[in-house]
C-alpha cells in the first residue's frame, strides 16, 4: 500500500515537525546537530502559526 501524501500544507508541516522531534533518538549526538534540530523545530512552529493565521484570515474574509 503506497504512502498517502498529506493533503494540506498544515498537515505536511505537522508531519515534518513530528519527524524532526523524533530525530532526537536516532540522530547524531553532537551539540551542533542538536542546535540545528532545535532551530528547525522552532522554524516549523513559526510556519505552522503563520499557516493557522492565514487559514483564520481566509475564514473571516
Amino acid at each position: 500500500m503506497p504512502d498517502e501524501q498529506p493533503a494540506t500544507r498544515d498537515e505536511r508541516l505537522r508531519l515534518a515537525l513530528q519527524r524532526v522531534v523524533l530525530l532526537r533518538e536516532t540522530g547524531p549526538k553532537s551539540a551542533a546537530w542538536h542546535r540545528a534540530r532545535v532551530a528547525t523545530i522552532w522554524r516549523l512552529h513559526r510556519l505552522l502559526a503563520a499557516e493557522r493565521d492565514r487559514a483564520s484570515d481566509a475564514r473571516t474574509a
Side-chain angles (χ1 to χ4, degrees):
M1 178 161 81
D3 290 331
E4 291 185 29
Q5 291 294 327
T8 66
R9 178 178 162 86
D10 184 67
E11 290 172 349
R12 289 190 306 268
L13 289 171
R14 288 182 191 281
L15 183 60
L17 180 59
Q18 198 173 38
R19 288 178 178 160
V20 172
V21 168
L22 291 174
L23 283 175
R24 178 176 187 260
E25 300 300 321
T26 61
K29 303 303 180 206
S30 73
W33 188 88
H34 282 290
R35 281 192 302 274
R37 180 181 152 271
V38 168
T40 300
I41 289 169
W42 283 112
R43 181 179 60 82
L44 288 168
H45 275 289
R46 286 190 302 271
L47 289 170
L48 280 166
E51 189 68 24
R52 187 176 53 245
D53 291 345
R54 268 194 295 277
S56 176
D57 290 346
R59 281 191 299 267
T60 59

